[in-house]
Amino acid sequence: MEVIIGSLYDVFSLNNIIFMILGVTLGIIFGALPGLTATMGVAVLLPITFGMEPTTGILFLLSVYCGGIYGASIPAILIKTPGSPASAATIVDGAELVKKGKAGEALRATVFASAIAGFISALILMFVAPQLAKFALKFGPTEYFAIALFGLTMIAKVSAESVLKGVFMGFLGMFVAAVGMDPVSGVPRFTFGNVNLLGGLALVPVLVGLFAITEIFIQSQTAHVISKPKQTKILDKPESIWKLFKYWKTIIKSTFIGTFIGMIPGTGAPLASFLSYNESRRSSKNKKEYGKGSMEGIVASEAGNNGVTGATLVPLLTLGIPGDTVTAILLGALLIQGLNPGPQLFTEHADVMYGIMIGLLVINIIMFIQGRVASRLFAKVTSIPMNVLIPILITLCFVGSYAVNNTIFDVKVMIIFGLIGFVMTKLNYPLIPMLLGIVLGPIAEPNLRKALINSNGDWSVFLTQPISLVFVVLSLLTIFMPLIKQFILRIRGKKAAS
Amino acid sequence: MLIVFSLLVSVLLLAGCGNESKDSGASSEEEAVDFSKKPIKLIVPWSAGGITDVTARLLAEEAVNHLPEGAEVVVENRPGGTGTIGAAEVANAEADGFTLLISPLVPVTESPSIRQTPYEYDDFDPVLQVLSTPTAFAVGTSNDIATYEDFVQYAKDNPGEFKYATGGVGTLDHIVMEAIALKENIDIKHVPYEGAAPIINDILGGHIDGGHLQIPGLLPYVEEGDVRIAWNSGSEGFAYMPKDTPTLEGKLDLPEMDAKTSIVGPKGIPEETLNIIVDAFKKTMDSEKFKEKMENANLEPAFAGPEELGETIETRYQTSKKIIEESGIAE
């Protein structure tokens, strides 16, 4: 208890508060610019923390991370371009809401959802981290494959009109993810002797191409028509925060999904946001609204991805195992600060650990306040004429894609995927299933193969391991539920007739 | 008027001459090295946050104080292809000392024998060795294997049953395990992972029987009694190493198999430039600040100059090549 009080003093030092505020701001900027991601922000700002106190340094990086995950929702809503993969589930409904003139409302709802989800996730980290970490260890290759499989079944739900087209795009996405070195044998696949392809296609340029560049192409078609900026309801008056509490069920559920996904190493925010979106749609009374501007949908997606933020620290702080790129960089920060990550972190550096956890709560409060202000500013983006906005966006896309690995190669990748996205959109092939394939393929494939090596080629492991069995059954239910429902209805119909 | 004009001309001429002589004087010096003309790029062929990345950033931060005035060092991450992408970039860069690779030697000494790389192991100039880290074989404590002999016996009794993880095909860890499999004639299965963290996770969770990896990351789990180190495949004398850890000495016909994090550059760096760089980085490694930070991270700097590093690269290449060919793990 003394340690906690000591950490409280520590967290609320002026220095820490200033760096948290600064971190959140930088994070929101990194997140909001297409092509720059939360991960990149944390990586770029890592060296700055070398000279800071451990608590200050880690809290600064965490502020960037949380701000970044939230910030990505801003362009996802306003310009139909996710700031990072974690907000991809937000774009469809976000764009529709903007069309309805609800940009401001949508932005405020996501700030609210993100901050609440981040706050709860931090509380969970504080109170049940050790127990969660033990549970997370039960996830091995077999379980990862099952969960990725479950994620892939969502293709059926996000395919809009044609499931067949969606499945095709899903496969295309997994094919894109297969480029590079074979994860098991190390043999280069589809690299055509190009060294740049050995590591596979980087996610950010592909994503920026598919979504941002595609959207820019589509908007460019009509950009020469000078339209009067839609001034109407964009700057709608902020309604009371209390009104947003009507989404509490969705937010809580999505937070728990995010926390669950977050604590399992190697999965991450994009999966969490898709699963949350899907679950909220499944349980919603207004299913038809989803995809056509559902406030509940974007709230679910954004609460889901911020729910990851606290939980992703569970394996890092309790076991010293980073679950994703951001936590891997945080691990580096801990190393530099002389805090050797591992099971002893809590016993040896309890003050810093509690500082981090309390700080994470504060970060989410700061994020909420900043987000409220930012959403008022950002909502004005929709009133910028397209012929001004497009050149700015293109520049940002180029810079962002280049910045991933400092290579022009990634810029070319971005342009090519922009063309693919444009053509596919014209042919009415949905892009989100492709993204699911790209994100989940690299989780599904290596884990499937590792699991099969471990089982000596026996496929039944996926059914004999309990956690894996649950996800396989869930996947099958997702796929066959519509058929089963129809079947039940028909039987009932027959009974009623007889 | 004329006088004024001629004065002006002569002044201008003088000024011109002055500039010229200054220029020529400077350029003869600059031909050696002008470290202020652009930053030195230290390429890390792995993601940010790992041991190599942390080491590179600490080096870069401190090296500026020991390099000639105006020099800058920037760290760039170029991950992918088990380090091959970053290594290829350095191999193809201009050999002026401004593009250097910092990495464990795997992409240089093992990758060319494992897969097609756009470079050969001798396309690099050794610069200096920064770290020497022992690698170890670790198993979960639910397992009965405690020694090398236990492991060999278990593998002989259960052919094809034992699965071990490493950080990828053709890594130093993989080579050591293959060498053991060849020597003892046992059938064990290799499962490549993306790095140390997921391996430790799966050992703790009981999803994999064992793993071969660098020691510093393992130590916290050994202390907690969650992981057991069966043997150390590298050298002794690592300060944090549990004292009674056996090595493979006498059991295996291999040279020292420590992971050597080193800096190399493209072939043909002018000797003078090379000397300045080696000297500056040596001073950096000797600085208290760097030592302290490395110690905090459970890492021990181990300097070796270009010649010694060159020998290490040659031995490692030849040894690994032989094992790779005999075990048939190449593509």
Side-chain angles (χ1 to χ4, degrees), chain A residues 15 19 45 48-58 60 337:
Chain A
N15 202 11
F19 274 108
L45 295 168
I48 298 178
T49 66
F50 288 179
M52 295 180 187
E53 288 287 304
T55 319
T56 315
I58 304 286
F60 176 64
Q337 297 289 0

Side-chain angles (χ1 to χ4, degrees), chain A residues 137 181 184 186 319 340 405, chain B residues 78 82 169 192 207 221 298 331:
Chain A
L137 275 182
M181 261 169 44
V184 171
L319 302 170
N340 228 333
N405 291 316
Chain B
R78 206 72 92 241
T82 341
V169 176
H207 305 290
Y221 309 95
N298 264 4
E331 287 155 13

Side-chain angles (χ1 to χ4, degrees), chain A residues 50 137-141 181 183-187 195 199 319 321-322 332 336 338 340-341 343-344 405 450 453-454 456, chain B residues 49 54 76 78 81-82 85 115 118 161 163 169 189 191-192 194 197 201-202 205 207 220-221 223-224 293 296 298 331:
Chain A
F50 288 179
L137 275 182
K138 290 197 167 46
F139 283 76
M181 261 169 44
V184 171
S185 69
V187 180
V195 190
L319 302 170
I321 293 168
I336 298 251
N340 228 333
Q344 293 101 330
N405 291 316
K450 275 188 220 164
I453 297 177
N454 275 337
N456 296 321
Chain B
V54 166
E76 286 187 9
R78 206 72 92 241
T82 341
I85 295 174
R115 57 184 69 90
E161 278 302 309
K163 285 103 188 172
V169 176
K189 277 190 184 154
V191 188
E194 300 82 35
N201 187 68
D202 278 11
H207 305 290
Y221 309 95
E223 279 164 36
E224 286 287 295
K293 294 244 165 146
N296 280 340
N298 264 4
E331 287 155 13

Side-chain angles (χ1 to χ4, degrees), chain B residues 225-273:
Chain B
D226 296 327
V227 165
R228 188 187 302 126
I229 293 184
W231 69 78
N232 164 12
S233 308
S235 58
E236 284 178 288
F238 188 63
Y240 302 93
M241 189 77 184
K243 289 276 175 305
D244 48 354
T245 312
T247 61
L248 284 182
E249 217 184 318
K251 298 192 174 79
L252 214 56
D253 185 25
L254 278 182
E256 177 203 9
M257 290 301 252
D258 283 355
K260 309 270 190 192
T261 303
S262 310
I263 298 181
V264 296
K267 186 107 200 144
I269 301 174
E271 204 179 329
E272 213 174 318
T273 315

Side-chain angles (χ1 to χ4, degrees), chain B residues 32-84:
Chain B
V33 231
D34 175 8
F35 277 96
S36 63
K37 77 178 173 195
K38 59 179 178 182
I40 297 173
K41 263 200 284 185
L42 205 51
I43 291 183
V44 177
W46 313 96
S47 317
I51 289 179
T52 313
D53 181 60
V54 166
T55 310
R57 286 175 196 279
L58 289 175
L59 270 180
E61 200 188 12
E62 182 65 23
V64 183
N65 303 330
H66 305 285
L67 281 160
E69 189 120 333
E72 265 184 84
V73 185
V74 292
V75 175
E76 286 187 9
N77 299 86
R78 206 72 92 241
T82 341
T84 318

